[in-house]
Amino acid sequence: MESVYLAIPLLPLFGALVAGLFGGWIGRAGAHWVTILTVAASFVLSAVAFWHIIIDGGPVFDEAIYTWMVVEGIRFEIGFLVDPLTVLMMTTVTFVSLLVHVFTIGYMHDDPGYQRFFCYIALFTFAMLMLVMANNFLQLFFGWEAVGLISYLLIGFWYKKESAIFANLKAFLVNRVGDFGFILGIGAIVAYTGSLHYGEVFAAAPTLVGEQIEIIAGLPWEVMTVICLLLFIGAMGKSAQVPLHVWLPDSMEGPTPISALIHAATMVTAGIFLVARMSPLYELSTVALSTVLVIGAVTALFMGLVAIVQHDIKRVVAYSTLSQLGYMTVALGASAYSVAIFHLMTHAFFKALLFLAAGSVIIALHHEQDMRRMGGLRRYMPVTYVTALIGALALIGFPGFAGYYSKDAIIEAVGYSQIPGAGFAYWAVLIGVFITALYTFRMIFLAFHGEPRDPRVDKHAHESPLVVTVPLVLLAIPSVVIGAVAMGPLLFGGFFGEAIHVAPERDVVASVAAHFDNWLQFIIHGFQAPAVYLALGGLLVAWLVWGYKPEIADYAAARLSLIHWVLERKYGFDELYQAVFARGARRMGDLLADTGDRRVIDGWVVNGSARLVGYGSQVVRHLQSGFLYHYAFGMIIGLLLLIAMVTFL
């Protein structure tokens, strides 16, 4: 199987290189065929690996493929760890990536950068596969940085668009903040365990319990807490958790297929995958788990509120992604790692579906994204409407749809958690159910229901071609059924085995499993819990406000003007970061340039020394006048000074 595992990431890399280096020779069709076929082959091989590990019960593969160097016993290697967690991520990433590649044919049909785009998305798939298949921190960091770099290129794909360049620079810089913490965490791991290999690090971790480090003199911290928090800072950047969330909404400036690829199943879930993979470390630090739990809860609740006031259809889905990532992070903090990965998987399908449905609408309306200019699209785009509706029902956790099982499992798990902050997190994710339904069906009603609010809708709207609608249908199917199919094995069947470690006293998933035997029981239980009714309440309020009586929205915005203003400005994070970090850094640079460079270095050191020599020369030249009496006078003054010194000293 080693050759199969090696081929899975290398096939998309091959497709990317062919499309990128030889795109001019093979043409547009050649570029999309070579990348689609290689990603499809990668998906098929990922499915083979899934079958081998999960169905056939094959052994976990954990071996080095290539050794770069060995420094003082620390091995720098390229190696693969293929276990149940890995094969689940591999199949999810490659499946969604394949459908995004097909969708791209229709969406980017007339774009002059067609071949370059296919090169980038295939290269992104390679980088993400290298990340999830890594068995050591060196390769993990390589994949981590590679997806960040390629996302920078993809978000700024339309590089002549100023807002796109601003967005990709913002994403790059914010992720550098997270990555700084991430690499410090890796450095601490190497310093205290002497290894980069996951297995060796996990084996050594229990010996570090109780060991302390003083980052600031007199303030000791647990070593494991420091390591876990530093790693989580990296996860906060990639998975866009407060306060490192600001890059993700602006990344909507990239083409819509990128929104589906980056923000559904790949880059933004890297942080969730990281914490789940590092569960043997996080289980050793209650402080780290509590931090993860609270930050996830804040993100889930408050980013969902911002989605309510967005008018750009893609930004609504983007803020929804932020909120759902918060749900996954809450599950991680509650030690419900398997539930977080379960929601990651279901979310990948229905969120990719919603992004691609939004892309279908944008295609039909000639790249119009403002929902205030839409309306009535269900008559013109029935396939897009039905699939978007399925994605919306899955997102809000409507019983029977994929998101219901994973989202309600998170709520149930947090309810059993004893981690500090679990009470706040429980109410945050519970209230978030109502908010999710509210902004999701606001989008559905504004875009697809009612009458067209712009004459261009009647004139231009039409159903998208098959290369767009077929991926929508293929994503809609798992958005309905994957939750019921996967719930038993992933949550209650020991699917992950030793890939995820949970301390017995924190095993909230076992507490949830004790009350359920199958997915049908979970649905029945749902109608006895508040989450389903909160989702239905949000749906009904959305219908009343934006479907039945739209004037209520204007009235509410006027009466709640302060809250509306705060939400429109996204709590002021962008303004704060612009003022403190962006403009502050520029002002600091101007100050250093003016004071340090021009005044101190140029003014005092360089020009000052020259002026000092000039002043000294002016004084000295008066002593060389050429008159004898001047010299005699100087000699007399000198003689008097010499006598005075001899006399008084």
Side-chain angles (χ1 to χ4, degrees):
M1 289 295 291
E2 181 176 337
S3 59
V4 172
Y5 299 146
L6 186 60
I8 289 171
L10 291 184
L11 281 167
L13 176 62
F14 173 77
L17 292 175
V18 172
L21 298 177
F22 307 105
W25 294 350
I26 63 178
R28 297 163 73 87
H32 71 236
W33 276 116
V34 70
T35 52
I36 288 173
L37 289 175
T38 52
V39 172
S42 182
F43 167 65
V44 171
L45 293 180
S46 296
V48 170
F50 185 94
W51 187 276
H52 175 69
I53 297 291
I54 305 302
I55 308 300
D56 291 342
V60 170
F61 181 87
D62 183 7
E63 294 183 19
I65 304 299
Y66 168 73
T67 300
W68 178 29
M69 60 180 177
V70 180
V71 179
E72 295 185 357
I74 301 172
R75 302 180 67 85
F76 294 80
E77 300 173 330
I78 298 297
F80 293 151
L81 171 59
V82 183
D83 61 6
L85 176 59
T86 305
V87 293
L88 180 66
M89 293 295 297
M90 286 159 51
T91 50
T92 302
V93 168
T94 52
F95 179 72
V96 173
S97 177
L98 174 61
L99 296 184
V100 169
H101 275 69
V102 175
F103 177 90
T104 300
I105 297 175
Y107 191 88
M108 302 293 288
H109 183 267
D110 299 320
D111 197 283
Y114 193 81
Q115 292 97 314
R116 178 166 57 93
F117 190 83
F118 274 97
C119 168
Y120 286 172
I121 57 177
L123 195 60
F124 187 93
T125 307
F126 157 74
M128 191 65 192
L129 287 170
M130 290 294 285
L131 189 157
V132 300
M133 295 177 70
N135 75 342
N136 63 84
F137 286 95
L138 174 68
Q139 184 177 326
L140 174 69
F141 189 71
F142 164 77
W144 194 269
E145 292 303 309
V147 294
L149 171 62
I150 302 165
S151 69
Y152 167 83
L153 297 173
L154 286 167
I155 294 168
F157 180 79
W158 288 320
Y159 54 85
K160 294 183 180 179
K161 188 178 176 184
E162 186 175 345
S163 57
I165 296 303
F166 178 83
N168 75 345
L169 182 61
K170 186 176 184 180
F172 192 80
L173 292 177
V174 171
N175 274 278
R176 294 292 69 72
V177 176
D179 293 353
F180 181 66
F182 184 53
I183 197 169
L184 286 177
I186 294 175
I189 287 171
V190 174
Y192 281 92
T193 67
S195 177
L196 286 165
H197 185 270
Y198 291 164
E200 295 175 2
V201 171
F202 296 159
T207 64
L208 300 179
V209 175
E211 191 163 345
Q212 295 184 331
I213 180 175
E214 289 190 6
I215 301 173
I216 301 174
L219 293 175
W221 282 72
E222 294 283 341
V223 168
M224 286 310 306
T225 297
V226 172
I227 289 173
C228 291
L229 289 178
L230 288 172
L231 293 177
F232 183 60
I233 291 172
M236 287 168 63
K238 280 289 184 289
S239 292
Q241 296 297 288
V242 174
L244 300 181
H245 66 285
V246 293
W247 68 269
L248 191 144
D250 283 4
S251 66
M252 295 299 106
E253 295 293 337
T256 299
I258 294 317
S259 303
L261 186 61
I262 294 178
H263 306 139
T266 52
M267 176 175 162
V268 295
T269 60
I272 308 301
F273 168 79
L274 169 69
V275 177
R277 176 61 82 193
M278 298 299 129
S279 59
L281 304 183
Y282 280 86
E283 286 300 290
L284 300 175
S285 173
T286 302
V287 173
L289 287 174
S290 182
T291 303
V292 172
L293 184 72
V294 171
I295 288 179
V298 169
T299 305
L301 178 60
F302 291 99
M303 293 302 106
L305 287 169
V306 176
I308 299 173
V309 301
Q310 298 300 305
H311 302 300
D312 185 316
I313 189 170
K314 284 175 63 178
R315 284 184 178 266
V316 174
V317 187
Y319 276 101
S320 168
T321 300
L322 280 172
S323 182
Q324 296 307 304
L325 289 167
Y327 273 84
M328 299 175 209
T329 305
V330 165
L332 295 172
S335 292
Y337 305 100
S338 59
V339 180
I341 298 298
F342 183 32
H343 194 52
L344 182 157
M345 183 194 66
T346 60
H347 176 265
F349 295 112
F350 63 72
K351 187 52 62 68
L353 173 59
L354 286 172
F355 270 120
L356 295 188
S360 179
V361 169
I362 293 167
I363 293 172
L365 300 182
H366 295 273
H367 293 274
E368 176 59 69
Q369 296 181 199
D370 193 329
M371 295 185 297
R372 292 171 294 185
R373 299 192 181 98
M374 299 179 187
L377 289 175
R378 62 176 177 169
R379 297 198 297 271
Y380 307 96
M381 309 179 70
V383 176
T384 300
Y385 169 66
V386 171
T387 52
L389 185 60
I390 289 172
L393 291 171
L395 173 58
I396 71 171
F398 193 82
F401 290 79
Y404 166 76
Y405 304 98
S406 54
K407 182 181 285 187
D408 275 37
I410 291 174
I411 297 171
E412 290 288 325
V414 175
Y416 286 108
S417 177
Q418 300 300 314
I419 296 291
F424 164 70
Y426 176 79
W427 285 105
V429 295
L430 195 60
I431 295 169
V433 173
F434 175 84
I435 295 168
T436 302
L438 187 63
Y439 67 69
T440 301
F441 275 88
R442 170 181 177 264
M443 177 183 68
I444 295 294
F445 288 124
L446 286 177
F448 294 100
H449 287 254
E451 295 299 322
R453 288 179 290 279
D454 191 312
R456 290 178 296 177
V457 173
D458 275 322
K459 184 176 180 181
H460 297 296
H462 56 84
E463 188 57 270
S464 298
L466 286 177
V467 290
V468 173
T469 55
V470 168
L472 291 177
V473 173
L474 292 177
L475 284 168
I477 294 170
S479 295
V480 177
V481 303
I482 196 68
V485 172
M487 177 184 174
L490 262 62
L491 298 190
F492 314 135
F495 176 91
F496 294 104
E498 296 182 0
I500 288 176
H501 170 74
V502 182
E505 66 274 14
R506 296 200 185 103
D507 196 354
V508 293
V509 178
S511 300
V512 176
H515 297 83
F516 305 102
D517 292 327
N518 53 59
W519 62 269
L520 186 57
Q521 276 191 348
F522 204 71
I523 290 181
I524 294 171
H525 169 76
F527 287 101
Q528 302 169 359
V532 169
Y533 300 101
L534 286 170
L536 290 173
L539 193 160
L540 290 173
V541 171
W543 170 79
L544 176 65
V545 175
W546 291 284
Y548 181 64
K549 291 278 187 182
E551 58 270 18
I552 295 177
D554 297 329
Y555 175 79
R559 294 299 300 267
L560 302 172
S561 58
L562 178 59
I563 296 175
H564 190 269
W565 181 83
V566 170
L567 293 179
E568 275 195 325
R569 277 148 186 79
K570 298 158 282 189
Y571 309 110
F573 278 103
D574 284 329
E575 289 82 355
L576 175 65
Y577 292 169
Q578 282 290 325
V580 175
F581 298 111
R583 288 194 295 273
R586 286 197 297 269
R587 287 170 182 165
M588 178 62 71
D590 291 341
L591 178 64
L592 292 175
D594 181 60
T595 303
D597 189 26
R598 285 189 287 271
R599 295 189 182 182
V600 176
I601 297 175
D602 288 343
W604 296 353
V605 178
V606 179
N607 297 330
S609 59
R611 284 193 293 267
L612 182 61
V613 171
Y615 295 148
S617 300
Q618 289 180 10
V619 173
V620 171
R621 71 186 179 88
H622 290 295
L623 301 178
Q624 301 293 331
S625 63
F627 294 105
L628 184 61
Y629 62 87
H630 283 175
Y631 301 147
F633 180 74
M635 292 172 62
I636 293 170
I637 295 298
L639 181 61
L640 291 175
L641 290 174
L642 181 61
I643 294 172
M645 290 175 60
V646 172
T647 303
F648 294 105
L649 295 178

